Amino acid sequence: MWGESVLEEYSLLEKFRDIVYYCFKCGMCRFESYEGIDNGESLSSLFMDVCPMWDLWKLEAYTALGKNEICRGLLEKKIPFNEKTVKIIYACTLCGACEKQCSVSRKTKHIERFGGSLLPYNPLEIALALRLQAVKTGVGPLPQHKKFSESIRVNKNPYWEPHQDRFKWFKGSLPKEAETAYFVGCTASYRQQMIAENAVKIFNKLGVEFTLVDEWCCGSPLFTTGQEEFIKELAIHNISVLEDAGVRRLIVSCAGCYRTFKKVYPEILGENLPFQVLHMAEFLSEKIEKGRLNFTSTINEKITYHDPCHLGRHCGVYEAPRRVLAKIPGLRFTEMRRKIDHSYCCGAGAGFRAAFPEASVKVAGLRVKEAEELGVDSLVTACSFCRRNLDDGVKAVDGKIKVYNIEELVAKAMGC
């Protein structure tokens, strides 16, 4: 997602010295350009906000345009790398909506740099590089990010929970070796255990032999907050224990874990992983296509689906969860207007929830209200982090809809 490795350079902002001048300052990074509007509708109906930071503060400093200008200001030594600057840098979920909306980003993929190499403009990559540089310079990350970094080092999870309790939710026995492994992730292990419990029910119902390994945090919270030093150790450990267990297929529920295995680990290690990585939605979709997943129960609910940023925009997985939901008997599926590439973030990612908890839940509440406007019974997602924040969003706006992860509905429809 973020192109060539940004983990090997120290002066990370120097690579953007020419690129930052490409920004048109048009502000389209914060809006969804909606196609298919009927004639006669107001101009305001042509666009919808897609940047949560713009919705929260209505200041360009917090948008991709602003991050670009911060990068330019730092390179030109016109602004300091201080506490205020760093706070703005981290006031972002790195959801990637700006990159999808930015016309310059799309057009400059074909602009040649001096010497003939391509010079792509990607506001998301600039935003991440600012964080990496802040940490390397010693002015970042924010205190809350340092806390979960410390916990990951000690407890192998960001929640300050004992590592030995990671699989406390699991009841049963497992083989030491299996071709399939389930990577639970920290949030489903300690905070959203219903996701892991239902995933296991699905595996058992399908007769899929699987194992759990001594997993450590995948490192996504560290990567997205610029704390890259410890990630390689996490990657080597997680890959090693999976290899030792003879794993050839890894299934994950968390969108952040999925992106880390699919994108970050190969980038950090400089080689492809020795096993296939599937999100649970992809695994279930494959089973449906092969006629190996049968639903025996009807779920009479009207639902909509929330695209997790790490699964959707960052990794391009859009259709698999929709194919699964479409096959569940009784479900009446309707789309929110902001979907696929234009989906609105849940507000939890990239350390934003840790550093700005009230703002994070406010963003989730905005997404919940968007779903409720459709008159749905339930909001479904495919990420343990999204599920947690959206559930908090329902409470914050006194909403009535239910929030599910896809495993919960599938297990119910399978009669588990």
Side-chain angles (χ1 to χ4, degrees), residues 310-326:
H310 287 164
L311 186 63
R313 275 188 292 262
H314 289 213
C315 293
V317 180
Y318 295 117
E319 295 305 317
R322 287 172 169 82
R323 282 196 294 266
V324 175
L325 294 173

Side-chain angles (χ1 to χ4, degrees), residues 189-412:
S189 291
Y190 299 107
R191 296 292 183 267
Q192 298 285 298
Q193 295 178 346
M194 78 291 286
I195 296 174
E197 290 167 351
N198 280 288
V200 169
K201 290 178 183 178
I202 291 169
F203 290 140
N204 290 336
K205 190 78 171 182
L206 291 173
V208 175
E209 184 183 57
F210 73 98
T211 190
L212 301 174
V213 298
D214 178 32
E215 66 179 58
W216 292 359
C217 175
C218 71
S220 179
L222 300 179
F223 183 78
T224 55
T225 54
Q227 303 178 87
E228 87 280 10
E229 182 182 355
F230 190 44
I231 299 176
K232 188 171 183 179
E233 183 177 339
L234 297 173
I236 291 173
H237 169 83
N238 285 329
I239 293 170
S240 296
V241 294
L242 289 164
E243 280 191 291
D244 291 344
V247 173
R248 298 179 61 183
R249 177 178 62 178
L250 180 66
I251 299 172
V252 302
S253 291
C254 176
C257 293
Y258 179 79
R259 182 185 51 77
T260 302
F261 273 97
K262 293 282 284 192
K263 302 283 187 179
V264 179
Y265 282 3
E267 181 179 317
I268 290 174
L269 301 175
E271 58 186 27
N272 294 327
L273 300 185
F275 43 77
Q276 180 187 25
V277 181
L278 289 173
H279 188 272
M280 177 63 78
E282 294 178 302
F283 167 74
L284 295 171
S285 180
E286 284 187 3
K287 290 295 182 182
I288 289 174
E289 289 177 5
K290 295 177 181 178
R292 297 176 183 174
L293 175 55
N294 298 312
F295 296 114
T296 58
S297 299
T298 299
I299 302 178
N300 291 311
E301 291 191 29
K302 184 178 180 182
I303 67 164
T304 191
Y305 175 71
H306 166 79
D307 287 286
C309 301
H310 287 164
L311 186 63
R313 275 188 292 262
H314 289 213
C315 293
V317 180
Y318 295 117
E319 295 305 317
R322 287 172 169 82
R323 282 196 294 266
V324 175
L325 294 173
K327 291 294 184 179
I328 295 179
L331 284 188
R332 303 181 304 284
F333 180 69
T334 184
E335 292 274 15
M336 286 183 278
R337 175 170 159 178
R338 290 182 290 188
K339 61 183 184 297
I340 314 296
D341 279 352
H342 304 305
S343 184
Y344 193 71
C345 181
C346 79
F352 188 72
R353 178 178 169 119
F356 306 93
E358 292 183 5
S360 175
V361 174
K362 184 176 180 179
V363 172
L366 293 173
R367 187 59 161 166
V368 168
K369 287 181 179 179
E370 183 178 358
E372 288 191 321
E373 288 174 359
L374 299 174
V376 297
D377 303 302
S378 305
L379 175 58
V380 185
T381 189
C383 174
S384 50
F385 219 48
C386 289
R387 194 220 185 276
R388 183 187 181 198
N389 216 47
L390 290 170
D391 205 29
D392 287 344
V394 171
K395 299 169 186 173
V397 299
D398 196 25
K400 305 303 179 185
I401 63 173
K402 299 183 287 276
V403 178
Y404 293 115
N405 222 57
I406 195 167
E407 290 89 346
E408 297 173 82
L409 283 183
V410 170
K412 186 177 179 181

